[in-house]
């Protein structure tokens, strides 16, 4: 009788690691969401939370609180804020995956094609000029349109002879960012003290004041963006081999680039329209997930979506609870985390490549 030695393949190890990462992220998300609901200026007990949620689906228990304010805090204030944060985090992280794939650079994020600066310019224009064409939706709508217009401008200006070179795209993005920055400065100069404060706080990013209607509008846009990212993930694996190799393998590089840029615009514009500018989420999360589970884009999109949702949920929890009776800007918190990480990534990349030259 002979024994057979069964050896595991690298693919098996990667699959197991991916499964463990997904389970860990889901568990961490559940814990963070529960902590976000129960903690804040109005404290709730864990048992009270369970009682409220069970009553919401028609199951009465002894844990259900008799205080009506508990139900209002959970269903009208904290749950919509948490759901919007999950959507924003997933959108920013997935957009980061797409941008890093299409540029072949782990240091890329949506800001390089002017989405964030364009959205900020649109929001600032609506605030400074006192526009109210869409009522309470005016600033989010103008932020969305501003980001989309910036991306389209970058793409069509950099396109030549039916093709778009990455270097030209990056340089055009720098120019559009500079123009948008100048526009922001001009609008801030024209504004009153009140409008300047609104512009500054919008740029810092926050989920304060989130409503179910906001989440309902953002959810389908994020769902479509993530779905497209999943559908093109296999093609992005080919794109990672280089444009010339990808073309030889039958990949329509230009069409893929168009799809990815439009998808990034939709994801980021949907995220920033209600949450403001939240930096570094699209840079930090995809790179961390890539270090853990590898470069394959299909699992990377899934893990990054969960990781981005977790990052924004943790940042929002810290923003609401770190300082009593205050709501810190989420963009400031993610910058405090992402800034040092970005510097470490720069140093690490330089050492691996033996310098920038």
């Amino acid at each position: 009788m002979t024994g057979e030695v069964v050896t595991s393949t690298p693919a098996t190890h990667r699959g197991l690691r991916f499964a463990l990462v997904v389970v860990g992220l889901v568990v961490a998300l559940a814990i963070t969401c529960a902590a976000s609901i129960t903690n804040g200026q109005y404290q709730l007990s864990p048992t009270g939370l369970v009682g409220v949620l069970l009553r919401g689906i028609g199951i009465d228990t002894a844990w259900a609180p008799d205080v009506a304010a508990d139900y209002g805090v959970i269903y009208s204030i904290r749950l919509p804020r948490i759901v919007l944060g999950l959507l924003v985090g997933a959108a920013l992280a997935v957009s980061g995956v797409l941008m890093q794939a299409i540029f072949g650079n782990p240091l890329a994020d949506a800001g390089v094609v002017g989405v964030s600066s364009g959205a900020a310019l649109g929001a600032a224009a609506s605030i400074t000029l006192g526009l109210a064409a869409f009522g309470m939706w005016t600033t989010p709508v103008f932020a969305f349109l501003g980001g989309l217009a910036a991306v389209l401008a970058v793409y069509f200006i950099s396109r030549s002879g039916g093709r778009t070179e990455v270097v030209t795209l990056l340089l055009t993005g720098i120019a559009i960012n500079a123009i948008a920055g100048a526009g922001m400065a001009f609008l801030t100069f024209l504004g009153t003290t009140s409008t300047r404060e609104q512009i500054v706080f919008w740029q810092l990013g926050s989920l304060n004041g989130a409503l179910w209607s906001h989440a309902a509008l953002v959810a389908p846009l994020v769902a479509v963006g993530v779905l497209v990212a999943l559908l093109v993930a296999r093609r992005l694996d080919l794109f990672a081999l280089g444009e010339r190799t990808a073309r030889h393998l039958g990949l329509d590089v230009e069409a893929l680039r168009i799809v990815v840029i439009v998808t990034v615009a939709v994801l980021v514009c949907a995220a920033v329209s209600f949450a403001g500018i939240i930096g570094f989420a699209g840079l930090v999360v995809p790179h961390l997930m890539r270090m853990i589970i590898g470069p394959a884009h299909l699992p990377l999109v899934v893990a990054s979506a969960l990781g981005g949702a977790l990052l924004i949920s943790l940042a929002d929890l810290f923003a609401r609870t770190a300082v009593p009776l205050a709501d810190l800007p989420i963009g400031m918190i993610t910058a405090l985390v992402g800034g040092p990480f970005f510097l470490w990534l720069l140093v690490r990349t330089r050492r691996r490549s033996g310098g920038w030259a």
Side-chain angles (χ1 to χ4, degrees):
M1 182 177 179
T2 59
E4 293 184 359
V5 178
V6 179
T7 58
S8 59
T9 63
T12 303
H13 284 299
R14 286 194 298 268
L16 179 60
R17 191 184 302 118
F18 170 68
L20 291 174
V21 168
V22 168
V23 171
L25 289 172
V26 170
V27 171
L29 262 177
I31 295 173
T32 303
C33 290
S36 294
I37 295 176
T38 55
N39 289 280
Q41 297 179 22
Y42 188 91
Q43 293 288 333
L44 298 166
S45 66
T47 55
L49 169 61
V50 174
V52 170
L53 296 178
L54 289 176
R55 178 171 286 185
I57 59 175
I59 302 175
D60 281 321
T61 64
W63 291 343
D66 296 325
V67 182
D70 290 2
Y71 297 88
V73 168
I74 291 176
Y75 286 114
S76 300
I77 299 176
R78 291 186 181 169
L79 270 181
R81 179 168 179 154
I82 290 170
V83 171
L84 183 62
L86 296 176
L87 293 170
V88 168
L92 293 176
V94 171
S95 70
V97 173
L98 295 176
M99 291 301 296
Q100 291 169 17
I102 208 70
F103 287 109
N105 191 331
L107 304 180
D109 71 350
V112 300
V113 291
V115 185
S116 299
S117 59
L121 180 61
S126 71
I127 294 171
T128 301
L129 301 178
L131 303 178
F134 303 98
M136 63 178 291
W137 304 92
T138 301
T139 297
V141 168
F142 273 82
F144 187 96
L145 295 176
L148 190 60
V151 170
L152 293 177
V154 168
Y155 178 75
F156 285 111
I157 292 174
S158 61
R159 185 179 172 86
S160 176
R163 296 178 60 182
T164 307
E165 296 295 336
V166 172
V167 174
T168 307
L169 197 69
L170 287 171
L171 294 175
T172 308
I174 292 173
I176 294 297
N177 280 324
I179 294 171
M184 280 284 299
F186 182 67
L187 289 171
T188 303
F189 173 77
L190 290 179
T192 63
T193 302
S194 175
T195 58
R196 288 170 187 163
E197 290 180 354
Q198 292 181 57
I199 292 172
V200 169
F201 279 105
W202 191 89
Q203 286 184 283
L204 294 175
S206 176
L207 296 174
N208 192 21
L211 301 173
W212 282 116
S213 55
H214 299 168
L217 184 63
V218 172
L221 296 174
V222 174
V224 170
V226 173
L227 178 61
V228 172
L230 292 171
L231 292 175
V232 303
R234 301 290 188 189
R235 299 178 187 177
L236 293 176
D237 290 338
L238 295 178
F239 199 89
L241 300 174
E243 287 192 30
R244 182 174 300 177
T245 303
R247 285 194 179 95
H248 289 165
L249 293 174
L251 181 66
D252 190 338
V253 172
E254 190 63 22
L256 178 62
R257 184 177 285 126
I258 293 172
V259 169
V260 167
I261 290 176
V262 172
T263 303
V264 167
V266 171
L267 286 170
V268 177
C269 289
V272 304
S273 58
F274 291 105
I277 304 299
I278 300 177
F280 288 103
L283 171 69
V284 173
V285 175
H287 195 76
L288 282 177
M289 294 300 109
R290 190 180 293 107
M291 291 170 63
I292 297 172
I293 65 174
H297 285 90
L298 186 58
L300 187 59
V301 168
V302 176
S304 295
L306 294 172
L310 177 61
L311 174 63
I312 299 302
S313 298
L314 288 171
D316 186 51
L317 175 60
F318 183 82
R320 291 192 302 105
T321 59
V323 179
L325 304 178
D327 198 333
L328 299 177
I330 295 180
M332 178 189 71
I333 298 170
T334 57
L336 286 174
V337 175
F341 179 85
F342 186 72
L343 289 175
W344 171 81
L345 188 58
L346 283 173
V347 173
R348 179 173 177 266
T349 304
R350 185 178 61 184
R351 287 177 178 173
R352 285 192 169 189
S353 61
W356 296 119

